[in-house]
Amino acid sequence: MLTFITQKKSSNKLTLQLLIASVLTLGLAACNDNDNVVEEVVVVPVTPVMEYSYSITLTNLTYAQPLSPVAVALHGDTKMWQVGQSASVALEKLAEGGDNADFIALTSNMATTSSEGAVPPGASVTLDITTTEPMATYLTVATMLVNTNDAFSGLTGVDISTLMLNQEKSWRLNVYDAGTELNNEAVGTIPGPADGGVGYDATRNDIDLVGYHSGVVSKDDGLSSSVLTQAHRFDNPAVKLTITRTK
Amino acid sequence: MKVIKQSPIKSALTVLALSLASSTTMAQELSITVTNLTQGLHFTPVITAAHASDNHIFMASEMASTELQAMAEGGDISGLVSMLNNADANINENPAAGLLAPAMSASFTLTNDSANTHLSLAAMVLPSNDGFVGLDSWVIPEAAGTYTVFLNAYDAGTEANDEIRGSGAPGEAGMPVPPPLDAVIGMNGTGVTDMESNDKVHIHRGSLGDSDMSAGTSDINNSVQRWLNPVAKLTITVQ
C-alpha cells in the first residue's frame, strides 16, 4: 500500500471540516426527505475568465530510443500512475504500443495536447497548452520508449499552481516499466523500428505493478532471444522536460 | 539590514518570536515512506536512523565496517542497530516486517532528538552478493514540509559478485536465498567472477545475470533482476 503524505495539517483540517459539513448536509437532506439542496450552493461572483498557458519542451536524451507521440495533460489533483499500483489500460496502451489516444481521452483530463509524431533520439519537441479551468493545475506528461516492451517516461500529478508568469521549471526524468508485458525483448513484441512488432496486447504477463525499468538487456549483452542490440540500451535519465508559464 | 524603530514591548515580542522560530534544539517528528522502485529486487529489513553529524552507517570510498558487511552480505542489521544505539541515534528497524517486495512501500514515523540532525538508511538488495540501497547522512531540514530523496544501490566491496547461490554469512561466498528468491532465481551458475578488487564502498556496477535458469555463469535473471539507479525513493515529511 502506497502512502503519500503531502497534505499539510491545515488542509487536513479543512478536509475534515468539509467532510463534516457534507455529512451534515446529507443528514439534513435525508431527514427532510428533500432532494433540493440548491440553497447550499455557494454563489461564486462572476469574474473575467482567466486563461493559463504553458509551453512544454521535451528532449529525448537517449541514444536509440525514439519516443512515441508525447501526451500532455492538465488536470486536478490526481496521479495517472504510481509505483506499486497496476497500470490503467490507457497507460498500458501508451507504454506497450505508443498509442496515447485513450490516455489523452481520460475523463479526468481538463486540457490535453500531443506531439504530432515520435521524438527521435537527440531531438526536442515544444508543445503549447492552454486552459481556462482554474482547477487544471496538475501536469502529466507521458511517452513510450518505443524500442522496448513497455517502458515509458514522464511525470504525473505535478503541482504547477505556483508557477509565476514566465517562470520555468525543469526535470530530468527516469524510465518506468508499466509492468504489463514481460521484458522478453522478443521478435514481434516491440513496436519500434528495432522490431516493428505488436504494440498493445491486453494480456498482462508481468508483475502488473508500475515500477522503475531495469533497462534492456539486448542480444549483445546476454539475452540471445532479444531483437534489440547494444544500441537500444538506455540509462536514467532518459528525458529532459521543461515547462514555462506563458500566460 | 533594515532597522525599523518600534516600541520596547514589540521588540521583546519579536525577539521571543525569533528565538522560537529559529530553535534548533527541539525534537522533530518525521513521517517516512520508503519505496522499492524496482520490479525485480527485494530489500532485506530496512534500517533508518537519525544520528549526529559525525556518525555514518557507510561512506562511499571508505571500507565497510563489519556491521555494514553483515547487512550487505546477509541482510543482518543487528550489528548496525547496536552501533547506532551506542551513538544515541534514533532508529527504526524493519518497517516492512520482513522483505520489502518489488514496487512496495513501507511507512513509519521517527522522532529525532535535537542532536540527531542527519538521516541514514540501509538495506541489502536481493539478489546480490553484497549490494545495498543506501542513504548516507542526509541533513534533516528544519522547515516543515515533504521532501523526496532518491537512493542508489551500492556495493559494500566485501564480497566477489559471483552472482550464484551461496551464503549470507559475512565472508562466505555466494548470495543468500530466502524463500521468495528461491523460486525466481536460477541455479547451477558457474560464477561471474571470484574477484573483488575494489574493497571500498562504491556505486554498484549492476548485476550481469544471464537468461539460463539452470546453467550459465549467473543465477540472476538478466531480464528481471538487473536495475538502473535510482532503486528507492524516500519521502520524508517533517511535521
Side-chain angles (χ1 to χ4, degrees):
Chain A
M1 178 68 192
L2 266 179
T3 314
F4 286 94
I5 303 151
T6 51
Q7 279 187 319
K8 292 202 179 96
K9 271 184 178 167
S10 58
S11 59
N12 276 333
K13 273 180 196 158
L14 181 63
T15 311
L16 188 63
Q17 283 165 1
L18 286 173
L19 187 68
I20 291 166
S22 54
V23 166
L24 286 174
T25 308
L26 281 172
L28 285 171
C31 288
N32 297 340
D33 195 27
N34 181 358
D35 289 333
N36 186 359
V37 290
V38 172
E39 287 167 1
E40 305 287 336
V41 174
V42 177
V43 177
V44 181
V46 177
T47 48
V49 174
M50 273 283 284
E51 201 172 73
Y52 302 87
S53 295
Y54 306 90
S55 173
I56 289 154
T57 298
L58 179 143
T59 303
N60 183 342
L61 302 176
T62 72
Y63 177 75
Q65 288 285 347
L67 298 173
S68 68
V70 179
V72 178
L74 300 178
H75 50 79
D77 186 4
T78 181
K79 289 186 187 294
M80 308 292 202
W81 66 83
Q82 284 192 15
V83 170
Q85 300 199 349
S86 290
S88 66
V89 173
L91 180 64
E92 182 182 5
K93 287 179 177 175
L94 187 153
E96 291 185 8
D99 174 6
N100 69 22
D102 284 9
F103 196 81
I104 289 281
L106 287 172
T107 53
S108 53
N109 292 335
M110 295 168 172
T112 58
T113 186
S114 169
S115 66
E116 278 182 29
V119 183
S124 295
V125 64
T126 297
L127 297 165
D128 295 313
I129 190 164
T130 294
T131 182
T132 53
E133 171 55 65
M135 303 300 282
T137 57
Y138 291 82
L139 173 70
T140 289
V141 177
T143 179
M144 179 191 184
L145 282 70
V146 299
N147 288 323
T148 67
N149 290 97
D150 60 343
F152 70 101
S153 189
L155 48 68
T156 186
V158 173
D159 184 358
I160 54 168
S161 64
T162 56
L163 271 187
M164 312 291 277
L165 190 60
N166 298 321
Q167 192 185 343
E168 182 181 293
K169 199 170 176 186
S170 271
W171 297 267
R172 282 167 196 276
L173 303 178
N174 298 324
V175 180
Y176 291 92
D177 186 312
T180 53
E181 180 179 326
L182 268 180
N183 295 336
N184 58 17
E185 305 173 19
V187 176
T189 66
I190 289 171
D195 180 25
V198 173
Y200 169 63
D201 182 326
T203 309
R204 295 196 176 194
N205 58 2
D206 200 358
I207 187 173
D208 201 12
L209 299 171
V210 175
Y212 272 25
H213 205 286
S214 58
V216 296
V217 181
S218 84
K219 63 184 164 203
D220 295 325
D221 197 26
L223 189 58
S224 54
S225 59
S226 173
V227 73
L228 303 177
T229 72
Q230 48 76 28
H232 301 113
R233 293 176 305 149
F234 58 84
D235 203 348
N236 290 325
V239 166
K240 185 186 175 195
L241 189 73
T242 304
I243 183 169
T244 309
R245 187 175 152 203
T246 53
K247 194 171 181 182
Chain B
M1 190 175 152
K2 205 175 174 184
V3 180
I4 299 168
K5 207 179 166 189
Q6 53 190 190
S7 75
I9 291 172
K10 225 176 178 181
S11 297
L13 284 174
T14 309
V15 169
L16 183 64
L18 278 175
S19 64
L20 282 174
S22 64
S23 171
T24 57
T25 57
M26 284 161 63
Q28 290 170 292
E29 192 173 327
L30 312 172
S31 297
I32 299 176
T33 297
V34 54
T35 301
N36 177 350
L37 293 172
T38 75
Q39 292 182 322
L41 300 177
H42 285 74
F43 296 172
T44 60
V46 178
I47 180 165
T48 310
H51 53 78
S53 59
D54 55 349
N55 299 138
H56 296 272
I57 291 179
F58 71 95
M59 290 175 81
S61 77
E62 298 284 337
M63 294 271 284
S65 63
T66 54
E67 291 86 352
L68 185 80
Q69 180 181 6
M71 183 282 299
E73 293 188 18
D76 176 7
I77 56 175
S78 60
L80 289 174
V81 168
S82 41
M83 191 183 85
L84 288 157
N85 271 328
N86 291 339
D88 294 325
N90 306 110
I91 306 171
N92 176 274
E93 291 178 57
N94 195 12
L99 298 178
L100 185 62
M104 291 295 109
S105 294
S107 297
F108 55 94
T109 58
L110 187 66
T111 304
N112 61 319
D113 298 334
S114 56
N116 293 333
T117 52
H118 290 60
L119 192 74
S120 291
L121 174 151
M124 183 188 187
V125 298
L126 291 172
S128 79
N129 289 91
D130 60 340
F132 68 100
V133 51
L135 173 68
D136 173 29
S137 297
W138 182 73
V139 179
I140 302 167
E142 287 175 29
T146 296
Y147 303 87
T148 303
V149 184
F150 288 91
L151 310 184
N152 295 323
Y154 291 87
D155 187 310
T158 56
E159 183 178 316
N161 294 347
D162 63 12
E163 301 187 11
I164 56 176
R165 290 169 183 256
S167 169
E172 292 185 13
M175 309 183 295
V177 188
L181 269 294
D182 192 42
V184 295
I185 72 170
M187 50 184 66
N188 308 321
T190 54
V192 168
T193 178
D194 58 7
M195 292 273 292
E196 183 72 4
S197 53
N198 182 349
D199 60 4
K200 309 287 200 313
V201 175
H202 50 274
I203 289 285
H204 202 293
R205 61 191 182 273
S207 295
L208 187 64
D210 65 36
S211 56
D212 193 330
M213 289 290 278
S214 56
T217 57
S218 173
D219 289 339
I220 289 176
N221 183 336
N222 63 5
S223 64
V224 179
Q225 291 146 359
R226 286 185 177 189
W227 70 83
L228 300 175
N229 283 322
V231 294
K233 183 170 100 166
L234 207 52
T235 310
I236 303 133
T237 300
V238 179
Q239 306 288 352

